[in-house]
mmCIF file of all heavy atoms in Angstrom:
data_model
loop_
_atom_site.group_PDB
_atom_site.id
_atom_site.type_symbol
_atom_site.label_atom_id
_atom_site.label_comp_id
_atom_site.label_asym_id
_atom_site.label_seq_id
_atom_site.Cartn_x
_atom_site.Cartn_y
_atom_site.Cartn_z
ATOM 1 N N PHE A 1386 -0.616 -4.840 -6.892
ATOM 2 C CA PHE A 1386 -0.529 -5.990 -5.986
ATOM 3 C C PHE A 1386 -0.974 -5.605 -4.576
ATOM 4 O O PHE A 1386 -1.770 -6.309 -3.940
ATOM 5 C CB PHE A 1386 0.899 -6.524 -5.967
ATOM 6 C CG PHE A 1386 1.114 -7.616 -4.954
ATOM 7 C CD1 PHE A 1386 0.857 -8.942 -5.279
ATOM 8 C CD2 PHE A 1386 1.546 -7.321 -3.674
ATOM 9 C CE1 PHE A 1386 1.017 -9.948 -4.332
ATOM 10 C CE2 PHE A 1386 1.719 -8.323 -2.724
ATOM 11 C CZ PHE A 1386 1.454 -9.636 -3.059
ATOM 12 N N LEU A 1387 -0.453 -4.489 -4.070
ATOM 13 C CA LEU A 1387 -0.753 -4.114 -2.692
ATOM 14 C C LEU A 1387 -2.191 -3.622 -2.529
ATOM 15 O O LEU A 1387 -2.787 -3.800 -1.467
ATOM 16 C CB LEU A 1387 0.240 -3.064 -2.202
ATOM 17 C CG LEU A 1387 1.634 -3.642 -1.911
ATOM 18 C CD1 LEU A 1387 2.622 -2.544 -1.589
ATOM 19 C CD2 LEU A 1387 1.581 -4.654 -0.772
ATOM 20 N N GLU A 1388 -2.740 -3.008 -3.565
ATOM 21 C CA GLU A 1388 -4.148 -2.628 -3.474
ATOM 22 C C GLU A 1388 -5.029 -3.878 -3.419
ATOM 23 O O GLU A 1388 -6.039 -3.908 -2.703
ATOM 24 C CB GLU A 1388 -4.541 -1.733 -4.645
ATOM 25 C CG GLU A 1388 -4.002 -0.318 -4.518
ATOM 26 C CD GLU A 1388 -4.705 0.663 -5.442
ATOM 27 O OE1 GLU A 1388 -5.872 0.421 -5.782
ATOM 28 O OE2 GLU A 1388 -4.060 1.655 -5.810
ATOM 29 N N SER A 1389 -4.657 -4.906 -4.172
ATOM 30 C CA SER A 1389 -5.395 -6.170 -4.091
ATOM 31 C C SER A 1389 -5.208 -6.824 -2.725
ATOM 32 O O SER A 1389 -6.169 -7.318 -2.118
ATOM 33 C CB SER A 1389 -4.914 -7.126 -5.192
ATOM 34 O OG SER A 1389 -5.232 -6.625 -6.476
ATOM 35 N N LEU A 1390 -3.967 -6.823 -2.232
ATOM 36 C CA LEU A 1390 -3.696 -7.419 -0.927
ATOM 37 C C LEU A 1390 -4.451 -6.684 0.174
ATOM 38 O O LEU A 1390 -4.914 -7.310 1.142
ATOM 39 C CB LEU A 1390 -2.190 -7.381 -0.655
ATOM 40 C CG LEU A 1390 -1.718 -8.065 0.626
ATOM 41 C CD1 LEU A 1390 -2.012 -9.566 0.583
ATOM 42 C CD2 LEU A 1390 -0.220 -7.821 0.849
ATOM 43 N N ARG A 1391 -4.586 -5.377 0.024
ATOM 44 C CA ARG A 1391 -5.337 -4.580 1.005
ATOM 45 C C ARG A 1391 -6.755 -5.131 1.175
ATOM 46 O O ARG A 1391 -7.272 -5.215 2.292
ATOM 47 C CB ARG A 1391 -5.382 -3.125 0.564
ATOM 48 C CG ARG A 1391 -6.217 -2.217 1.447
ATOM 49 C CD ARG A 1391 -6.364 -0.858 0.792
ATOM 50 N NE ARG A 1391 -5.109 -0.142 0.722
ATOM 51 C CZ ARG A 1391 -4.799 0.740 -0.223
ATOM 52 N NH1 ARG A 1391 -5.661 0.991 -1.212
ATOM 53 N NH2 ARG A 1391 -3.645 1.369 -0.202
ATOM 54 N N LEU A 1392 -7.375 -5.508 0.069
ATOM 55 C CA LEU A 1392 -8.731 -6.064 0.132
ATOM 56 C C LEU A 1392 -8.755 -7.378 0.905
ATOM 57 O O LEU A 1392 -9.666 -7.637 1.695
ATOM 58 C CB LEU A 1392 -9.269 -6.274 -1.286
ATOM 59 C CG LEU A 1392 -9.384 -5.025 -2.167
ATOM 60 C CD1 LEU A 1392 -9.772 -5.419 -3.582
ATOM 61 C CD2 LEU A 1392 -10.399 -4.051 -1.585
ATOM 62 N N ASP A 1393 -7.750 -8.216 0.676
ATOM 63 C CA ASP A 1393 -7.716 -9.519 1.322
ATOM 64 C C ASP A 1393 -7.337 -9.437 2.796
ATOM 65 O O ASP A 1393 -7.705 -10.316 3.581
ATOM 66 C CB ASP A 1393 -6.740 -10.441 0.588
ATOM 67 C CG ASP A 1393 -7.258 -10.851 -0.783
ATOM 68 O OD1 ASP A 1393 -8.485 -11.008 -0.916
ATOM 69 O OD2 ASP A 1393 -6.454 -10.992 -1.709
ATOM 70 N N LEU A 1394 -6.602 -8.385 3.182
ATOM 71 C CA LEU A 1394 -6.185 -8.252 4.575
ATOM 72 C C LEU A 1394 -7.176 -7.454 5.411
ATOM 73 O O LEU A 1394 -7.044 -7.410 6.645
ATOM 74 C CB LEU A 1394 -4.805 -7.578 4.648
ATOM 75 C CG LEU A 1394 -3.622 -8.384 4.114
ATOM 76 C CD1 LEU A 1394 -2.341 -7.565 4.217
ATOM 77 C CD2 LEU A 1394 -3.470 -9.705 4.853
ATOM 78 N N ALA A 1395 -8.149 -6.832 4.761
ATOM 79 C CA ALA A 1395 -9.082 -5.976 5.501
ATOM 80 C C ALA A 1395 -9.813 -6.761 6.593
ATOM 81 O O ALA A 1395 -10.030 -6.253 7.703
ATOM 82 C CB ALA A 1395 -10.092 -5.343 4.549
ATOM 83 N N GLY A 1396 -10.163 -7.998 6.301
ATOM 84 C CA GLY A 1396 -10.865 -8.804 7.280
ATOM 85 C C GLY A 1396 -10.015 -9.136 8.500
ATOM 86 O O GLY A 1396 -10.541 -9.427 9.569
ATOM 87 N N GLU A 1397 -8.680 -9.088 8.327
ATOM 88 C CA GLU A 1397 -7.781 -9.334 9.450
ATOM 89 C C GLU A 1397 -7.428 -8.049 10.189
ATOM 90 O O GLU A 1397 -6.664 -8.086 11.156
ATOM 91 C CB GLU A 1397 -6.492 -9.992 8.947
ATOM 92 C CG GLU A 1397 -6.673 -11.343 8.304
ATOM 93 C CD GLU A 1397 -5.340 -11.969 7.935
ATOM 94 O OE1 GLU A 1397 -4.472 -12.090 8.828
ATOM 95 O OE2 GLU A 1397 -5.152 -12.321 6.753
ATOM 96 N N GLU A 1398 -7.930 -6.929 9.709
ATOM 97 C CA GLU A 1398 -7.638 -5.612 10.282
ATOM 98 C C GLU A 1398 -6.145 -5.296 10.242
ATOM 99 O O GLU A 1398 -5.585 -4.756 11.191
ATOM 100 C CB GLU A 1398 -8.194 -5.507 11.703
ATOM 101 C CG GLU A 1398 -9.717 -5.617 11.744
ATOM 102 C CD GLU A 1398 -10.277 -5.397 13.134
ATOM 103 O OE1 GLU A 1398 -9.972 -6.203 14.029
ATOM 104 O OE2 GLU A 1398 -11.003 -4.402 13.312
ATOM 105 N N ILE A 1399 -5.517 -5.656 9.127
ATOM 106 C CA ILE A 1399 -4.150 -5.235 8.822
ATOM 107 C C ILE A 1399 -4.248 -4.233 7.684
ATOM 108 O O ILE A 1399 -4.754 -4.562 6.603
ATOM 109 C CB ILE A 1399 -3.266 -6.427 8.416
ATOM 110 C CG1 ILE A 1399 -3.139 -7.410 9.583
ATOM 111 C CG2 ILE A 1399 -1.888 -5.945 7.965
ATOM 112 C CD1 ILE A 1399 -2.400 -8.683 9.234
ATOM 113 N N ASP A 1400 -3.815 -3.010 7.925
ATOM 114 C CA ASP A 1400 -3.946 -1.958 6.936
ATOM 115 C C ASP A 1400 -2.772 -1.961 5.965
ATOM 116 O O ASP A 1400 -1.661 -2.421 6.295
ATOM 117 C CB ASP A 1400 -4.039 -0.594 7.617
ATOM 118 C CG ASP A 1400 -5.308 -0.458 8.446
ATOM 119 O OD1 ASP A 1400 -6.303 -1.139 8.128
ATOM 120 O OD2 ASP A 1400 -5.309 0.328 9.421
ATOM 121 N N VAL A 1401 -3.000 -1.436 4.776
ATOM 122 C CA VAL A 1401 -1.972 -1.350 3.735
ATOM 123 C C VAL A 1401 -1.949 0.075 3.193
ATOM 124 O O VAL A 1401 -2.985 0.599 2.777
ATOM 125 C CB VAL A 1401 -2.245 -2.346 2.590
ATOM 126 C CG1 VAL A 1401 -1.198 -2.183 1.485
ATOM 127 C CG2 VAL A 1401 -2.242 -3.783 3.110
ATOM 128 N N SER A 1402 -0.782 0.691 3.212
ATOM 129 C CA SER A 1402 -0.605 2.033 2.660
ATOM 130 C C SER A 1402 0.385 1.984 1.510
ATOM 131 O O SER A 1402 1.423 1.318 1.590
ATOM 132 C CB SER A 1402 -0.075 3.002 3.720
ATOM 133 O OG SER A 1402 -1.033 3.288 4.705
ATOM 134 N N LEU A 1403 0.056 2.702 0.452
ATOM 135 C CA LEU A 1403 0.971 2.861 -0.674
ATOM 136 C C LEU A 1403 1.543 4.264 -0.658
ATOM 137 O O LEU A 1403 0.820 5.240 -0.442
ATOM 138 C CB LEU A 1403 0.245 2.602 -1.996
ATOM 139 C CG LEU A 1403 0.196 1.133 -2.419
ATOM 140 C CD1 LEU A 1403 -0.911 0.898 -3.422
ATOM 141 C CD2 LEU A 1403 1.544 0.729 -3.013
ATOM 142 N N ILE A 1404 2.846 4.368 -0.882
ATOM 143 C CA ILE A 1404 3.543 5.652 -0.914
ATOM 144 C C ILE A 1404 3.900 5.949 -2.362
ATOM 145 O O ILE A 1404 4.599 5.161 -3.014
ATOM 146 C CB ILE A 1404 4.811 5.602 -0.050
ATOM 147 C CG1 ILE A 1404 4.449 5.210 1.392
ATOM 148 C CG2 ILE A 1404 5.541 6.942 -0.076
ATOM 149 C CD1 ILE A 1404 5.651 4.762 2.221
ATOM 150 N N HIS A 1405 3.382 7.060 -2.881
ATOM 151 C CA HIS A 1405 3.622 7.452 -4.273
ATOM 152 C C HIS A 1405 4.331 8.810 -4.317
ATOM 153 O O HIS A 1405 3.680 9.843 -4.488
ATOM 154 C CB HIS A 1405 2.303 7.529 -5.047
ATOM 155 C CG HIS A 1405 1.631 6.207 -5.276
ATOM 156 N ND1 HIS A 1405 0.552 5.781 -4.542
ATOM 157 C CD2 HIS A 1405 1.896 5.214 -6.163
ATOM 158 C CE1 HIS A 1405 0.173 4.584 -4.976
ATOM 159 N NE2 HIS A 1405 0.974 4.221 -5.956
ATOM 160 N N PRO A 1406 5.643 8.827 -4.166
ATOM 161 C CA PRO A 1406 6.349 10.113 -4.222
ATOM 162 C C PRO A 1406 6.445 10.635 -5.653
ATOM 163 O O PRO A 1406 6.494 9.867 -6.624
ATOM 164 C CB PRO A 1406 7.754 9.783 -3.704
ATOM 165 C CG PRO A 1406 7.683 8.365 -3.202
ATOM 166 C CD PRO A 1406 6.555 7.720 -3.919
ATOM 167 N N GLY A 1407 6.465 11.970 -5.760
ATOM 168 C CA GLY A 1407 6.904 12.583 -6.999
ATOM 169 C C GLY A 1407 8.421 12.559 -7.026
ATOM 170 O O GLY A 1407 9.055 11.661 -6.458
ATOM 171 N N PHE A 1408 9.035 13.541 -7.646
ATOM 172 C CA PHE A 1408 10.493 13.581 -7.693
ATOM 173 C C PHE A 1408 11.043 14.024 -6.336
ATOM 174 O O PHE A 1408 10.625 15.031 -5.777
ATOM 175 C CB PHE A 1408 10.968 14.537 -8.785
ATOM 176 C CG PHE A 1408 10.666 14.056 -10.177
ATOM 177 C CD1 PHE A 1408 9.745 14.718 -10.972
ATOM 178 C CD2 PHE A 1408 11.296 12.930 -10.680
ATOM 179 C CE1 PHE A 1408 9.457 14.271 -12.258
ATOM 180 C CE2 PHE A 1408 11.019 12.470 -11.961
ATOM 181 C CZ PHE A 1408 10.100 13.136 -12.746
ATOM 182 N N VAL A 1409 11.987 13.229 -5.820
ATOM 183 C CA VAL A 1409 12.651 13.531 -4.555
ATOM 184 C C VAL A 1409 14.155 13.556 -4.825
ATOM 185 O O VAL A 1409 14.692 12.694 -5.537
ATOM 186 C CB VAL A 1409 12.327 12.472 -3.483
ATOM 187 C CG1 VAL A 1409 13.041 12.799 -2.170
ATOM 188 C CG2 VAL A 1409 10.819 12.384 -3.262
ATOM 189 N N LYS A 1410 14.834 14.538 -4.261
ATOM 190 C CA LYS A 1410 16.273 14.654 -4.492
ATOM 191 C C LYS A 1410 17.009 13.583 -3.698
ATOM 192 O O LYS A 1410 17.153 13.673 -2.479
ATOM 193 C CB LYS A 1410 16.785 16.042 -4.105
ATOM 194 C CG LYS A 1410 18.277 16.220 -4.366
ATOM 195 C CD LYS A 1410 18.736 17.635 -4.160
ATOM 196 C CE LYS A 1410 20.260 17.743 -4.285
ATOM 197 N NZ LYS A 1410 20.785 17.129 -5.520
ATOM 198 N N THR A 1411 17.469 12.563 -4.388
ATOM 199 C CA THR A 1411 18.199 11.450 -3.787
ATOM 200 C C THR A 1411 19.373 11.102 -4.700
ATOM 201 O O THR A 1411 19.439 11.557 -5.849
ATOM 202 C CB THR A 1411 17.299 10.212 -3.649
ATOM 203 O OG1 THR A 1411 16.994 9.707 -4.963
ATOM 204 C CG2 THR A 1411 16.010 10.536 -2.901
#
């Protein structure tokens, strides 16, 4: 979803970052 939204927001110069953690001790 966010990768698709990134394409649609590019023209507005709003950036989109996805965070893909591996295993984190929580």
Side-chain angles (χ1 to χ4, degrees):
F1386 174 87
L1387 286 173
E1388 286 197 27
S1389 295
L1390 185 63
R1391 176 189 293 151
L1392 300 173
D1393 290 326
L1394 292 178
E1397 298 184 54
E1398 297 185 296
I1399 297 174
D1400 295 334
V1401 177
S1402 290
L1403 274 160
I1404 303 164
H1405 291 102
F1408 292 112
V1409 180
K1410 182 172 174 51
T1411 68

